[in-house]
Each structure stands twice: as C-alpha cells, then as structure tokens.
Amino acid sequence: MAHTALNDDEIQEYFDSPDELDKKIKTLANFIRNAKHFIVYTGAGISTSAGINDFRGPNGVWTARARGFVSSRSTVSNPEPTLTHMALVELMRNGHLKFLVSQNCDGLHLKSGVPIEKIAELHGNRHCEACAKCGKVYYRQTHIDTYEHKTWLTGNKCIEPNCNGRLRCTTVAFSQSIPDISLDRATKESKICDLSLCMGTSMRVSPACELPCMNLKSGQKMVIVNLQKTPYDEECALRIFARCDEVMSMVMKELNLTIPRYTDLKLWEDTEWMIDFEENWLFRTAGDTDWFSGVI
C-alpha cells in the first residue's frame, strides 16, 4: 500500500496567509448561502485532530511505509468527532448541507449525529458488520478489529430468520470493490450538486475523487480544503490551504451558526436509531460476492 504515498514535492504543505484565508472564507460562506444542493466530500484530514492518522500527509500511514518506518499509532482508543464533524451536522440541521460523501471508515460522522440517509460511506465503517448472504447490516458499539484477511469474516453470524449467514467487516481495502449501493447514491447526489466542498482529501483515490466534479460543466462550483496540492486544484472555483477545523470555525462564524459540542449519542442503545440504521445504511447488494475471498 506504500505505493500510494506521495513524493517529496507532493507531500509539501501550504498555508494561506491570514488575509488570504479571511477573504476565501467569506467567499466560501457566500457560496454556501447561495447553493441549492451543497455536498461535502471528506477524507482522512478531517479526523487528524481526533488523534487518527491520515494516509498521505508528512506523517501519514502510507508516507511512513514508503520511507521505511512505521507511523506512530494513535493513543486514542475511542476518538470523538472533531469540530469539523460537528459543524457539518449543524450545516445539515440548518438546511445548507444536503448530503455527505466520506472516504473515512472511522465512524465519526455517524457518531456526530449525521442522519443515516444523508451520508454515503464509500469505504465502509469500522463499527459495522454486514451479511453478504441477505444484506443485513449491524452497528456495533466498538470498532470491529478482529477479522480474517481477504475473507473479512468476523466470526459472528447473521440473526435474520432463515439466514444464519456469516458476518463480514465492512471497511474497504485496496483489493476490494466500493460498496455498490453506497456508490450509486453518492453518484446520484453528485450529479445534481451545485457546490462541492472537498475537505481533508488528497483527491487521488478513484472513484471518490471523481464525484465532486461530476457537474462542473453545468455550472457547479468545487472548493478544496487541503494543506497539500491536489490533481484537481485547477478545476476549483476556490482553493483553500488551511486546516479543516480552522476553516469550519471561521465559516460557521461567517454564517452566524454555532457549532454544537459533541455529546455521546450512545447509538447502539437507541432502538429507533438502530432500526433506521438497519433499514437505511448504504452498503452492498445482497448476494454480492466480489468483495471477499471464499464462499458466501
């Protein structure tokens, strides 16, 4: 996986000056006010302030492996949603943000309170298991860290009547396909997007990197917030070089919105939420077997 690391020039980080950043924040806030179908696309960079490593930053997982050392492991056993995560929740509550597409599998978006029907987690979720046989999905209180490589079997069984299928980890590795139902919904939303905001992503992983610019020929505006340059910078209506939390703090102030503090929703104890999750979390078509080795 280290082959996905960036070279020395690509790793370099840039920062807008305070004056530049202030002007760009005002522009972004104006874009948000006027957007009809605003979508945010998130990558690992929005979770670094929660103590989770990114992949292609100067100290990222792939960067470290490419240079022959192991990146320091997170000491946070139960990471909490960041300021950026909570700001996105508030933007949804106020009707600005219509949908969220994430490459992250850390589960922080759902923990923050993002409605299940308003997010496509393209790379799965570390809190979730799925039955490939019947398609039923399960949300767990803790990360699912124990599973077989390639088969992705967790050792648990589906409790759906007359199924008894074997459950699998839902996180997506480089050898796996993207969950089809999740990708279909993300694509559908992206086709009607008029403002895409890409946050904390290197914009190098396909097909996720192609979604935010699907509608550019129809007048869509694309904004990228990332410290490193990306292959899509020239297509942006606005390019911001700053940390995600700083950007969202300033944007929310400009929009006169208050970022809520994170409170543990204890989702696994909420019966109504769990039913909603099982019915509406976007993952894979039942019977799909191309995402693991072995029999169903």
Side-chain angles (χ1 to χ4, degrees), residues 198-255:
C198 310
M199 305 197 73
T201 169
S202 64
M203 300 289 286
R204 284 174 165 83
V205 178
S206 180
C209 64
E210 299 159 6
L211 296 173
C213 54
M214 288 187 70
N215 213 22
L216 291 181
K217 291 183 179 179
S218 298
Q220 171 198 347
K221 294 181 176 68
M222 179 169 66
V223 179
I224 296 178
V225 178
N226 199 57
L227 293 178
Q228 297 162 330
K229 294 180 179 180
T230 83
Y232 290 83
D233 288 358
E234 295 301 317
E235 299 183 51
C236 289
L238 182 65
R239 182 62 171 92
I240 299 175
F241 293 95
R243 300 192 187 282
C244 295
D245 286 352
E246 181 181 13
V247 169
M248 292 312 299
S249 178
M250 294 175 70
V251 166
M252 296 297 277
K253 185 176 181 180
E254 190 69 26
L255 293 172

Side-chain angles (χ1 to χ4, degrees), residues 92-112:
M92 279 193 168
R93 286 175 182 163
N94 281 271
H96 291 295
L97 181 57
K98 305 303 183 184
F99 199 73
L100 183 60
V101 178
S102 184
Q103 298 176 66
N104 298 340
C105 60
D106 53 37
L108 295 185
H109 281 305
L110 289 186
K111 287 177 72 173
S112 71

Side-chain angles (χ1 to χ4, degrees), residues 178-197:
I178 297 292
D180 61 320
I181 297 176
S182 182
L183 179 58
D184 287 350
R185 179 64 186 280
T187 301
K188 178 182 177 180
E189 295 290 337
S190 297
K191 286 181 178 179
I192 58 173
C193 172
D194 63 350
L195 174 62
S196 59
L197 173 59

Side-chain angles (χ1 to χ4, degrees), residues 67-101:
R67 296 183 174 187
F69 64 92
V70 178
S71 58
S72 58
R73 294 182 63 85
S74 171
T75 57
V76 182
S77 59
N78 186 28
E80 296 181 350
T82 67
L83 180 150
T84 295
H85 288 93
M86 299 312 300
L88 297 178
V89 170
E90 190 64 18
L91 285 172
M92 279 193 168
R93 286 175 182 163
N94 281 271
H96 291 295
L97 181 57
K98 305 303 183 184
F99 199 73
L100 183 60
V101 178

Side-chain angles (χ1 to χ4, degrees), residues 32-172:
I32 293 173
R33 289 189 191 99
N34 294 317
K36 291 182 173 61
H37 203 82
F38 171 39
I39 300 179
V40 172
Y41 300 79
T42 63
I46 75 160
S47 296
T48 54
S49 61
I52 300 172
N53 289 336
D54 62 14
F55 294 97
R56 297 171 182 83
N59 299 305
V61 175
W62 304 154
T63 303
R65 292 185 185 182
R67 296 183 174 187
F69 64 92
V70 178
S71 58
S72 58
R73 294 182 63 85
S74 171
T75 57
V76 182
S77 59
N78 186 28
E80 296 181 350
T82 67
L83 180 150
T84 295
H85 288 93
M86 299 312 300
L88 297 178
V89 170
E90 190 64 18
L91 285 172
M92 279 193 168
R93 286 175 182 163
N94 281 271
H96 291 295
L97 181 57
K98 305 303 183 184
F99 199 73
L100 183 60
V101 178
S102 184
Q103 298 176 66
N104 298 340
C105 60
D106 53 37
L108 295 185
H109 281 305
L110 289 186
K111 287 177 72 173
S112 71
V114 169
I116 297 164
E117 70 277 7
K118 294 290 187 180
I119 183 171
E121 295 183 291
L122 298 182
H123 294 168
N125 188 313
R126 287 184 65 191
H127 287 268
C128 306
E129 293 178 278
C131 175
K133 185 177 179 181
C134 74
K136 185 178 177 67
V137 291
Y138 297 80
Y139 184 86
R140 307 302 189 191
Q141 177 180 355
T142 58
H143 287 168
I144 298 161
D145 292 326
T146 303
Y147 53 87
E148 293 180 4
H149 185 55
K150 293 187 177 181
T151 67
W152 311 112
L153 292 169
T154 64
N156 296 323
K157 291 290 188 73
C158 182
I159 61 173
E160 196 69 8
N162 303 316
C163 179
N164 201 38
R166 299 183 294 176
L167 301 187
R168 288 175 162 85
C169 168
T170 63
T171 55
V172 176

